[in-house]
Amino acid sequence: MAEEQPNVFLFYPNLIGYGRIILAILACYAMSDCPFTAMLCYALSAGLDAIDGMVARAYNQSSRFGAMLDQLTDRCGTMALCMALCKFYPDSVFWLQMSTVIDIASHWLHLHATDLTHAETHKKSDNPILHLYYTNRSFLGFMCGGNEAFYLILYVRAFWPGPTIFGIYLLSYLAAIAFPIALVKSAISLVHLVTAAQTVVKYDTDAILAKRLHVTKSD
């Protein structure tokens, strides 16, 4: 009797992923004038990111589609939030653009390099920084959570800066605390970009040399 073909689309972690997408879309819809709704939906979508991985491991339902879905939801969600922040902080548009570009480019190339080399997961790397980033879940959670918190704080601050403490708004203090985390997260993304580029170039180099060797043998 033939084994039943698994429906990857309906894997439990992927169902959670679809829920994350719906929440992210609702957050985007509300971002212009409903900050509480937007923040709640965005935070829930980001929070579920930690759950889908646990569910995937618990039910042995890890998949490349799930990894791609997870990454796309993360990247697009952060990009959408940064687009909204460009409206509220026009003087910081360039830095928000650079943050988004680095984030998307690095993760896209990293995933592409993973698939190109047929690696089992994108969460393995010989680079010591990326190895720490992906193998230490506490560090990974701290960096990702702190990064998201920074942008969310900026978003909330645009509507409600909070009470003043020594003449400075509370949300400004919190943003200053979270900013170094977001900065380090961007630096790690640059490491992603460089190492992924090196992997792709090595793949190209090996392919070119193999082709030349084949031509030489044919001659």
Side-chain angles (χ1 to χ4, degrees):
M1 184 176 179
E3 185 177 353
E4 182 180 358
Q5 183 176 352
N7 189 339
V8 177
F9 284 112
L10 297 181
F11 276 9
Y12 296 141
N14 296 340
L15 294 177
I16 294 174
Y18 306 146
R20 291 187 63 208
I21 292 172
I22 293 172
L23 287 168
I25 291 173
L26 291 174
C28 290
Y29 184 77
M31 274 183 189
S32 293
D33 49 17
C34 298
F36 179 78
T37 301
M39 182 185 67
L40 179 62
C41 290
Y42 188 93
L44 285 173
S45 178
L48 287 174
D49 186 27
I51 296 176
D52 60 5
M54 291 188 292
V55 171
R57 289 186 293 272
Y59 288 92
N60 193 27
Q61 290 187 340
S62 298
S63 63
R64 292 303 299 156
F65 173 74
M68 294 288 186
L69 183 69
D70 184 63
Q71 285 281 3
L72 283 171
T73 305
D74 289 343
R75 306 285 69 78
C76 291
T78 304
M79 177 185 67
L81 180 56
C82 284
M83 290 172 69
L85 291 177
C86 286
K87 171 185 176 182
F88 301 123
Y89 300 94
D91 292 340
S92 301
V93 166
F94 173 75
W95 300 110
L96 291 166
Q97 287 175 326
M98 290 300 99
S99 173
T100 304
V101 167
I102 291 170
D103 187 42
I104 292 176
S106 61
H107 284 84
W108 181 87
L109 192 58
H110 180 66
L111 276 179
H112 185 60
T114 301
D115 282 344
L116 201 61
T117 55
H118 304 290
E120 292 182 5
T121 175
H122 67 281
K123 293 187 176 182
K124 286 184 179 180
S125 176
D126 294 330
N127 182 280
I129 295 175
L130 298 184
H131 179 75
L132 171 66
Y133 183 72
Y134 281 124
T135 58
N136 189 319
R137 291 180 185 173
S138 296
F139 180 67
L140 176 63
F142 176 76
M143 293 307 305
C144 293
N147 184 66
E148 294 291 348
F150 172 67
Y151 293 115
L152 272 179
I153 290 168
L154 288 181
Y155 173 72
V156 175
R157 180 179 174 274
F159 293 90
W160 180 74
T164 58
I165 302 175
F166 301 114
I168 300 176
Y169 289 113
L170 173 62
L171 271 294
S172 296
Y173 278 116
L174 295 179
I177 292 172
F179 173 70
I181 303 173
L183 192 62
V184 172
K185 178 70 165 54
S186 290
I188 293 174
S189 291
L190 285 174
V191 175
H192 267 115
L193 188 63
V194 172
T195 56
Q198 290 171 338
T199 299
V200 175
V201 167
K202 183 180 184 304
Y203 177 88
D204 284 337
T205 302
D206 291 344
I208 292 169
L209 291 175
K211 186 176 181 179
R212 287 177 180 174
L213 181 61
H214 177 73
V215 171
T216 302
K217 288 183 177 180
S218 298
D219 293 341

